[in-house]
Amino acid sequence: MRILAVDDNAINEAAALLAAGDIVAFPTETVYGLGADATNAQAVAKIFAAKERPSFNPLITHAADASLLLDEAVFDSRAQELAAHFWPGPLTLLLPKAPNSKIANLTHADLPAIGVRVPHHPVATALLKAFGGLIAAPSANRSNHLSPTTPQHVAESLGSNVPLILAGGKSAVGLESTIVDLTGTQARIVRHGGISAEDIERLIGPCGRALPGEAPMAPGMLAKHYAPRIPMRLNALNAQDDEAFLMFGPVLGKPSGKVQLNLSEGGDVVEAAANLFDYLHKLENADVSRIAVMPIPAHGLGVAINDRLSRGAAPQTA
Ligand code: TXA
Ligand code: MG
């Protein structure tokens, strides 16, 4: 892991890493982010691996300016107003994903909404421009650690899990972005942060709040979103004739089942995580009665994959 003082070379090196599908830590005005190409599921999977996240929490997609998000998310008048007023700045909007969006399903954990934000920090903006794309980034800390506001915090928390940290000083806001959910008719503030609720309500009127104890879209609340439309059968060693077979690792001979997809023939959990949501979408549309899923090893990202699968296989309660 290297901490690089920021100059043009450092920005270009970091942008090249992102373009190559790797991860980079970078400063924003709120906290340091751990970034990857938001359109590349395999790159995004590396974020979850580096943070040692036990589930696929949705990540915020960052852009150099709002115009780059118009093809990715559906902006209603409230969203347009908030974006015009507070971007660049510490505000994240949860908006419906645009039908032709390039953002990888893994970036937003396959939820209908995507989180988008234009950060206000010269290094973040320079990196976004040099990369020329959209950067998915959670806070650059190990899961359940404090959010980092200096490059040293990132280094202490992630260590060798991150190849490069762009050092851009101390984050001025020091608190994550405020998250406003605009997917329903009633706007809701689901995370308090760098912009006050009053400032937001002055612009778009009264907003709802997250329920007490409700983490923003905590994985446990999302059980119903995580499920494919057809049942899943986990830890299957074979598939029946009317089942799709979601495989993992090397398979000898002709695999069973009506259709098959292999999450990672080489048995790589990072590759499997990158393919998971896309393959489940394909198989639920494959005219089969069920998806049989091979066992996934419970190490590294395999923990998050199994979390996702067991939620998806649980009986629906809502
Ligand atoms: O200030 C910030 O927002 C920083 C900087 C790096 O931009 N990022 C950050 O990301 O705090 P993270 O992943 O640590 O927190 C983002 C929160 C998560 O709790 C996640 O559940 C929620 O935003 N979130 C993001 N996208 C979402 C989506 N599509 N639907 C629901 N919740 C979402
Ligand atoms: Mg965080």
Side-chain angles (χ1 to χ4, degrees):
M1 177 264 296
R2 286 181 306 142
I3 302 182
L4 274 192
V6 170
D7 58 15
D8 286 353
N9 287 337
I11 296 284
N12 289 336
E13 188 179 331
L17 279 175
L18 292 175
D22 221 325
I23 55 174
V24 167
F26 65 100
T28 84
E29 80 280 31
T30 58
V31 299
Y32 274 66
L34 184 62
D37 178 351
T39 65
N40 178 344
Q42 182 108 26
V44 170
K46 292 182 186 172
I47 294 176
F48 293 106
K51 282 181 69 87
E52 297 173 3
R53 264 195 177 174
S55 61
F56 299 121
N57 288 355
L59 307 180
I60 297 168
T61 294
H62 299 70
D65 73 77
S67 68
L68 299 169
L69 294 168
L70 297 179
D71 290 338
E72 310 300 333
V74 181
F75 285 73
D76 64 12
S77 58
R78 300 168 301 182
Q80 286 172 21
E81 209 164 340
L82 288 172
H85 205 267
F86 292 115
W87 282 351
L91 174 69
T92 293
L93 299 177
L94 301 184
L95 303 175
K97 190 180 188 183
N100 295 324
S101 168
K102 302 177 296 296
I103 294 172
N105 291 327
L106 184 60
T107 299
H108 57 105
D110 212 22
L111 295 165
I114 57 172
V116 288
R117 141 170 146 82
V118 176
H120 189 203
H121 192 291
V123 177
T125 306
L127 179 64
L128 281 158
K129 286 189 171 158
F131 171 54
L134 303 167
I135 299 180
S139 49
N141 53 281
R142 210 170 282 250
S143 200
N144 296 324
H145 285 208
L146 291 175
S147 287
T149 54
T150 66
Q152 288 71 32
H153 292 161
V154 179
E156 281 160 22
S157 187
L158 292 176
S160 59
N161 287 5
V162 58
L164 187 72
I165 302 170
L166 283 179
K170 194 167 180 299
S171 293
V173 176
L175 195 70
E176 293 92 340
S177 58
T178 301
I179 303 181
V180 183
D181 176 6
L182 294 177
T183 55
T185 47
Q186 160 90 80
R188 290 199 323 149
I189 295 173
V190 294
R191 181 175 76 182
H192 292 281
I195 291 175
S196 73
E198 291 75 18
D199 283 349
I200 285 162
E201 291 183 319
R202 202 168 296 129
L203 214 60
I204 61 166
C207 298
R209 298 287 186 274
L211 301 171
E214 169 190 334
M217 307 284 192
M221 300 167 53
L222 297 173
K224 62 181 181 295
H225 296 289
Y226 275 152
R229 277 184 286 102
I230 57 176
M232 287 198 287
R233 185 166 69 83
L234 304 187
N235 299 314
L237 299 179
N238 290 291
Q240 290 151 19
D241 290 343
D242 62 339
E243 287 180 330
F245 201 12
L246 186 60
M247 302 184 295
F248 177 89
V251 174
L252 297 177
K254 188 179 174 315
S256 52
K258 188 170 178 187
V259 286
Q260 303 83 20
L261 286 173
N262 198 322
L263 289 167
S264 171
E265 285 176 21
D268 174 5
V269 285
V270 177
E271 183 183 16
N275 289 328
L276 182 66
F277 292 127
D278 286 337
Y279 286 7
L280 287 174
H281 279 285
K282 289 200 172 101
L283 295 180
E284 75 173 0
N285 291 317
D287 189 28
V288 290
S289 54
R290 202 168 30 239
I291 303 173
V293 187
M294 270 192 170
I296 312 289
H299 64 76
L301 281 196
V303 177
I305 295 172
N306 282 311
D307 169 79
R308 162 70 179 78
L309 287 171
S310 57
R311 286 175 200 286
Q316 298 286 292
T317 52

